[in-house]
Amino acid sequence: MALEIRSFMVEHAEFSKGKNGITDHKLFINKEIILRKLSHELLEKVDLDIVSPGESTRIIKVLDVVQPIASRDQKIFPGFLNETLTVGWGSTHRIEGFRLISCGDFPQPQTTSLTTKDGLIDMSGPGADYCISSDTINLVITFYPKPSTSNEAFDQVSRKLMLDLAQYFGEMTFSLEPDEMLNYDLSEENPELPTIIYINQLQDQGPLIRPYLYGRPLGENFVPTFINPLEMMDGAIVSGNYRNFMKKPTSFYLRDPIVEKLLEQHHKSLNFKGVIISRGHHGDTSLKLRSASSVAKLAKFAKADGVILAMEGTGNGTIDFQFTLECCEKAGIKTVGIIHELGGSLGDDTPLVYRSKYADALISTGGVEREFSLGSVDKVVGGSVFLNYSLGVENPHQGFKVRPMDLYGSCWKMSVAGFTCLEC
């Protein structure tokens, strides 16, 4: 299975009265046309804003970030836009430097442990280093659902509209010459190089806190599954997790930084064998052990010399993460885990909720409970009131204290930005 990625760079975006399109790396957006595409009977209205890196702009109530992609092969986002057939082949177009960001409030009260959290992205200032998509030009789509709409219905409607729009923008590149073309093919291996597998543990607690694999949530009965990493580049995994800081947005599944690094080194320093998808946040120990041992079984069957384990989530999911690491080590597979730390606002508290004695190679991506201050901003989009991780009310125009836990996608942004923890 081989995949050609054609990339098209956007360096500027603006609203215009003409046709939607890309000219000389400039994206022109007709607001009226886009709003018509986003109309739905369950929505009262939709707002559109363009924000760019360095602006004194704060985006709140963030739901998801999606990179525009498209394919003439009618395959992207399987289970949502196309048939649930295996993807990761043929040719796929994607726009770089530009993202679609969905925002909105869930219309119905939430009272259980499945309560979602507001996401915040600062386009400048100290918070930008902790926020996914603070470094891209973004079209922010703010959805206002009708009060009678259920939370799950709003979730489904906003997701489908966002994926449709991502494809629509991606199709604008069909008549353009790509700025870059990359060809990926994992069929050839060098027997003299170590075989490496990436274990991608996804967070699935239930409605509004779960991803989708080929259009379906993982669920309690999910067993670890082996996929080709190229499938992720075509949208095989779509986010439905609104726990803000701990989640991977859809854009990060499309361009997973671990996948990209391993693909870069394939046939050079290692053989990238594939990705094992596992589920985090199981309800009891037996399910956690079942999942962990299944992951180790698949990795052993694939003759992996080493695995890289990363997780979406925190708390409960850390147990699944550590059990998986332990089972792989017991199976004789060298295992490196990538994980964020807790540690409290001063860094003097317990950094992990659980650590296996086999976890002797962990990479820290920094502490998500450290406190710092955001400044005031000139513009706020996505809503009018921000609820921090502890559900405290903040005026988003003003400065206030935050932790990375308050910021959108901080666990993964801190990872790619090079955050870590050092013993002082």
Side-chain angles (χ1 to χ4, degrees):
M1 189 159 66
L3 176 65
E4 177 189 71
I5 294 289
R6 299 186 175 193
S7 297
F8 303 80
M9 179 60 65
V10 165
E11 299 173 349
H12 175 78
E14 64 181 63
F15 290 122
S16 70
K17 297 294 185 181
K19 293 182 179 180
N20 291 303
I22 301 172
T23 303
D24 296 329
H25 301 110
K26 296 180 180 179
L27 174 60
F28 297 95
I29 302 171
N30 186 307
K31 185 180 287 190
E32 292 183 4
I33 293 175
I34 299 302
L35 288 175
R36 284 199 295 269
K37 288 184 172 294
L38 294 172
S39 63
H40 193 278
E41 61 182 5
L42 296 183
L43 301 176
E44 286 192 337
K45 68 170 184 172
V46 178
D47 285 341
L48 301 178
D49 294 274
I50 296 173
V51 299
S52 299
E55 291 182 2
S56 180
T57 300
R58 181 164 292 151
I59 310 169
I60 63 173
K61 308 289 185 182
V62 180
L63 300 175
D64 197 12
V65 178
V66 184
Q67 180 177 20
I69 63 171
S71 174
R72 298 182 193 275
D73 300 315
Q74 296 184 334
K75 58 183 174 116
I76 65 164
F77 300 123
F80 290 106
L81 304 189
N82 292 288
E83 296 291 337
T84 53
L85 300 172
T86 301
V87 296
W89 50 271
S91 178
T92 297
H93 290 224
R94 68 185 183 194
I95 295 178
E96 298 294 353
F98 174 77
R99 298 289 187 268
L100 304 173
I101 298 181
S102 59
C103 299
D105 258 328
F106 286 97
Q108 303 302 323
Q110 301 177 62
T111 57
T112 70
S113 60
L114 299 183
T115 299
T116 61
K117 303 291 184 180
D118 286 358
L120 181 152
I121 298 174
D122 264 6
M123 298 303 294
S124 62
D129 290 338
Y130 298 82
C131 301
I132 285 176
S133 288
S134 62
D135 54 357
T136 56
I137 301 167
N138 305 308
L139 177 63
V140 180
I141 301 106
T142 306
F143 295 106
Y144 295 88
K146 292 180 179 178
S148 59
T149 305
S150 71
N151 289 345
E152 290 192 52
F154 175 53
D155 169 41
Q156 294 167 8
V157 166
S158 62
R159 180 183 305 105
K160 179 62 165 59
L161 290 172
M162 286 290 288
L163 298 181
D164 280 333
L165 195 61
Q167 178 174 255
Y168 173 75
F169 276 98
E171 289 173 350
M172 294 179 190
T173 66
F174 282 172
S175 62
L176 305 176
E177 287 296 316
D179 295 300
E180 182 181 48
M181 285 203 318
L182 295 172
N183 291 284
Y184 298 105
D185 187 349
L186 299 180
S187 59
E188 292 188 13
E189 297 183 8
N190 184 339
E192 297 182 1
L193 297 176
T195 295
I196 304 298
I197 287 173
Y198 169 32
I199 303 169
N200 189 1
Q201 179 182 303
L202 310 183
Q203 183 183 20
D204 187 333
Q205 288 182 245
L208 309 184
I209 307 174
R210 63 188 182 192
Y212 292 81
L213 178 64
Y214 281 88
R216 301 291 296 178
L218 305 189
E220 190 76 12
N221 295 321
F222 181 80
V223 293
T225 298
F226 206 103
I227 68 169
N228 190 308
L230 306 183
E231 296 175 58
M232 293 171 60
M233 293 182 168
D234 272 343
I237 305 176
V238 170
S239 176
N241 181 358
Y242 305 111
R243 273 292 172 91
N244 137 39
F245 83 99
M246 63 184 71
K247 69 169 290 182
K248 276 187 180 179
T250 299
S251 63
F252 255 50
Y253 289 121
L254 293 168
R255 290 202 57 185
D256 186 298
I258 298 174
V259 165
E260 292 192 341
K261 284 294 183 182
L262 291 173
L263 286 173
E264 183 183 292
Q265 290 301 311
H266 179 69
H267 221 264
K268 297 177 182 177
S269 63
L270 54 86
N271 296 312
F272 186 14
K273 192 71 172 182
V275 179
I276 298 175
I277 301 297
S278 68
R279 174 182 184 264
H281 213 285
H282 286 99
D284 59 48
T285 300
S286 64
L287 290 173
K288 292 178 186 293
L289 290 173
R290 184 186 73 154
S291 177
S293 61
S294 293
V295 169
K297 175 188 66 178
L298 291 175
K300 193 72 174 177
F301 184 76
K303 299 180 180 179
D305 297 298
V307 297
I308 297 173
L309 169 62
M311 64 176 287
E312 179 189 32
T314 190
N316 183 306
T318 304
I319 312 297
D320 298 86
F321 174 93
Q322 296 284 351
F323 281 8
T324 301
L325 186 154
E326 183 168 323
C327 284
C328 288
E329 285 282 348
K330 287 180 175 178
I333 304 169
K334 294 180 180 179
T335 306
V336 174
I338 302 174
I339 189 169
H340 63 277
E341 295 188 39
L342 300 173
S345 60
L346 298 178
D348 55 0
D349 203 347
T350 304
L352 300 174
V353 297
Y354 172 74
R355 181 188 172 196
S356 167
K357 64 180 181 180
Y358 290 85
D360 56 2
L362 292 178
I363 297 174
S364 168
T365 60
V368 297
E369 293 185 324
R370 298 299 182 93
E371 195 172 71
F372 63 98
S373 295
L374 299 180
S376 60
V377 293
D378 296 335
K379 182 180 180 181
V380 173
V381 298
S384 58
V385 175
F386 176 69
L387 298 180
N388 63 30
Y389 189 77
S390 301
L391 303 183
V393 178
E394 303 285 0
N395 180 342
H397 290 273
Q398 299 176 352
F400 51 91
K401 288 186 177 181
V402 295
R403 297 170 294 173
M405 297 170 75
D406 297 308
L407 307 178
Y408 185 79
S410 60
C411 281
W412 282 89
K413 178 57 184 284
M414 290 168 69
S415 174
V416 298
F419 280 81
T420 189
C421 278
L422 300 175
E423 187 173 350
C424 298

